[in-house]
Amino acid sequence: MALVSKDSTQTDLVIEDGYFTWQRHRFSVFVCLLLVILMATFSWALLTGPMALTLDEVIQGLQRSIGGENVAGAADWVIRELRLPRALLAMIVGAGLAVAGAVTQGVFRNPLADPGLIGVASGAALAAVAVIVLSNTVLQGWHVLTGPFALPLAAFCGGLLVTLIIYQLGTQGGQTQVAILLLAGVAINVLAGAATGVLTYLADDQQLRDMTFWSMGSLAHGRWVEILALMVFILPPLIWMLRSARLLNALLMGEQVASHLGFDVQASKRWLLAGSALIVGAGVAVTGTIGFIGLVVPHLLRLVVGPDHRQLLPLSALAGASLLLLADTLARTVLAPADLPVGLVMALIGGPMFLILLLQQTRRWH
């Protein structure tokens, strides 16, 4: 029988305590770094645009907005009605999409399970487009019943339906089949694209103008009303997901282990996927389809800070907000005064990244 000395045990405890202390210190460093990046991109977004503004004008405009004062001059109007709501919209949607991506990857236990790639965003966009085109005919009752929430609720229902279908197809015997997951996502994206094409063919000129930004994603239509609606639909599930880190960590060890730890695995997974669908659906309803944030941000952070969701989820929120804010600022300034759809900018960033991740995953399969 091997004996463990008291000194050896104490040494192991000191090493373990030092490791967790270093982990907490590293997490604090990353939080501070991402907060600095977020503040820098936020300031750049307010300063940059077709109309040049000084730092003093931006600060005064923010002070008047917070104080509820009347608009004073063109610079104040640009800050309050154009740049500030657009920047806040980018931060809310970016944080929500990144956390939804991290949660989806955690539930499916696969780094490629992005809500956009597996068809959730396409299903949400299809439902929203259907409300735009058919609100005076087939879906008139839905529009009367839900009123101003017709678009976000329809997008949520579409995203949730696709999420449930993907969950049933991609999970067999408690294990996620990655190939089936991705192929089902491709098929759903194609079907949703075809249905959206049919609705586009049926739409009139006004409806076509309303639908223009859906296929490419844009923050140009974000106003204070939309921001308030997004805060209702995104912030509650976002906060709840941030509090579900222990459950997601348990799922990394397998559903049986998570069940033995006292979690109601199946119910929790359904609630997490429903929250992800609500975030994606609400974002799509206001900004259209913006892909790759839920894939790129959590995967890169996982390579840096590890799989612990207690660190991964809050860092994903900060990084996702910064990334979409940066992409939107580039979209409206690179070819100014033209306003590029931010979805195209994100596709240019996320497309190559997805190919790299897919090649890495392919090597693991072999």
Side-chain angles (χ1 to χ4, degrees), residues 24-279:
R24 289 192 295 269
H25 175 70
R26 187 179 64 169
F27 173 66
S28 300
V29 171
F30 276 111
V31 168
C32 293
L33 177 61
L34 288 175
L35 283 174
V36 171
I37 294 174
L38 181 60
M39 293 303 298
T41 52
F42 181 74
S43 301
W44 186 42
L46 296 182
L47 288 167
T48 308
M51 179 179 178
L53 297 178
T54 64
L55 183 60
D56 289 339
E57 289 174 330
V58 171
I59 294 175
Q60 291 175 6
L62 291 176
Q63 290 175 343
R64 293 192 186 97
S65 298
I66 296 173
E69 301 178 17
N70 294 327
V71 176
D76 190 19
W77 184 85
V78 168
I79 290 294
R80 187 177 304 191
E81 299 299 329
L82 295 180
R83 296 185 188 177
L84 180 58
R86 185 161 176 167
L88 292 176
L89 180 63
M91 292 167 61
I92 295 173
V93 174
L97 291 178
V99 172
V103 168
T104 304
Q105 293 171 8
V107 170
F108 285 105
R109 299 201 300 276
N110 187 274
L112 299 181
D114 169 67
L117 294 175
I118 62 176
V120 178
S122 297
L126 173 60
V129 169
V131 170
I132 292 176
V133 177
L134 305 177
S135 59
N136 294 326
T137 55
V138 179
L139 297 179
Q140 185 176 7
W142 169 266
H143 197 275
V144 172
L145 179 64
T146 55
F149 297 106
L151 275 177
L153 285 177
F156 162 65
C157 293
L160 180 61
L161 178 61
V162 170
T163 302
L164 294 177
I165 294 174
I166 289 293
Y167 178 74
Q168 294 296 327
L169 292 176
T171 304
Q172 298 179 0
Q175 299 295 323
T176 301
Q177 305 296 326
V178 180
I180 296 177
L181 183 74
L182 293 177
L183 290 175
V186 170
I188 289 177
N189 277 319
V190 171
L191 291 174
T196 302
V198 172
L199 292 173
T200 303
Y201 179 78
L202 297 175
D204 56 32
D205 291 340
Q206 181 60 44
Q207 292 169 344
L208 286 174
R209 284 192 292 270
D210 293 338
M211 292 165 51
T212 299
F213 80 105
W214 285 97
S215 61
M216 296 178 286
S218 174
L219 303 178
H221 300 276
R223 296 294 182 266
W224 291 110
V225 175
E226 285 79 6
I227 291 175
L228 292 175
L230 281 180
M231 291 177 66
V232 173
F233 284 99
I234 289 183
L235 290 185
L238 182 62
I239 294 172
W240 181 74
M241 287 177 178
L242 292 175
R243 297 172 60 88
S244 302
R246 291 180 63 251
L247 168 62
L248 292 169
N249 285 342
L251 287 175
L252 291 177
M253 297 180 288
E255 293 188 6
Q256 290 185 346
V257 174
S259 180
H260 289 315
L261 291 175
F263 294 105
D264 188 346
V265 174
Q266 297 304 321
S268 299
K269 288 172 68 174
R270 286 193 293 268
W271 278 110
L272 287 171
L273 291 175
S276 299
L278 179 58
I279 290 175

